[in-house]
Amino acid sequence: MPDAPRTYLLIDGENIDATLGMSVLGRRPAPEERPRWDRILDFAHAAFDQPAKGLFFLNASSGQMPMSFVQALLAMSFHPIPLSGLSSEKVVDIGIQRTLEAIADLPDGDVLLASHDGDFLPQVERLVDAGRQVGVICFREFVNHQLTELTSRGLRIFDLEDDLGAFQTPLPRVRIIPLASFDPSRYL
């Protein structure tokens, strides 16, 4: 059990990668197009002004682990969590749900969840209603609508590209841009 308040950064890697590939790029992302996970962990430390613990959930149901990626995560101070289960089980989602429930049972601990998935709604709602600082890191235009409805109760939504600067180059996204943050040079 932690001695001081901390932020738990839970990464749904499958969801982030699939959304980037299918919804943003329309193809499998190249390595240089993927998020810089170190920037996301740095953001987690700063977001709620307290130490952060990065938990990166992986589906290892095939019996294989991407060892070079796991080693890279370890070098960035993430804790890889390779889970396995039946082909009918959403092992990453179940693992994150259980982790969110365990955090809710702690006396304190805030959460940043990197996912677009509505499967975590009950657990996120419980944390928000308990007064925890909770944020969802995502591509804002693809996050589950029911999660966005929790912003009126305190949930914060952070955009991977705009708020975190997690990418090396601008992504080809079409989304609503607040006039105050519109940079025409991006389109020239």
Side-chain angles (χ1 to χ4, degrees), residues 15-171:
N15 180 274
I16 296 297
D17 200 55
T19 303
L20 174 62
M22 292 187 296
S23 300
V24 176
L25 299 173
R27 59 178 165 71
R28 185 180 178 94
E32 66 274 6
E33 295 173 312
R34 288 198 160 92
R36 294 285 311 271
W37 299 112
D38 55 333
R39 291 182 187 175
I40 296 170
L41 187 56
D42 289 344
F43 177 84
H45 288 289
F48 301 140
D49 194 28
Q50 60 192 8
K53 183 172 193 165
L55 306 175
F56 200 109
F57 292 80
L58 301 160
N59 186 339
S61 294
S62 69
Q64 303 293 316
M65 277 198 304
M67 287 311 295
S68 59
F69 184 61
V70 167
Q71 291 298 330
L73 289 172
L74 289 167
M76 290 182 274
S77 300
F78 271 96
H79 297 273
I81 302 177
L83 300 170
S84 68
L86 302 173
S87 61
S88 61
E89 294 177 304
K90 296 168 86 176
V91 296
V92 168
D93 288 2
I94 294 167
I96 291 173
Q97 288 167 335
R98 289 180 183 175
T99 304
L100 289 168
E101 290 164 0
I103 293 168
D105 291 338
L106 294 174
D108 59 27
D110 301 317
V111 173
L112 286 171
L113 171 64
S115 183
H116 301 86
D117 201 333
D119 287 346
F120 310 116
L121 183 65
Q123 293 83 14
V124 168
E125 190 171 29
R126 178 179 172 201
L127 288 160
V128 167
D129 289 346
R132 306 289 182 95
Q133 294 184 94
V134 182
V136 172
I137 297 171
C138 58
F139 294 110
R140 192 173 270 116
E141 66 271 26
F142 297 114
V143 71
N144 178 277
H145 178 69
Q146 290 178 301
L147 284 172
T148 62
E149 289 176 348
L150 293 177
T151 58
S152 64
R153 292 166 45 193
L155 179 70
R156 295 173 63 189
I157 305 289
F158 300 102
D159 189 89
L160 274 163
E161 185 177 20
D162 296 337
D163 298 324
L164 276 72
F167 297 90
Q168 297 289 82
T169 59
L171 296 173

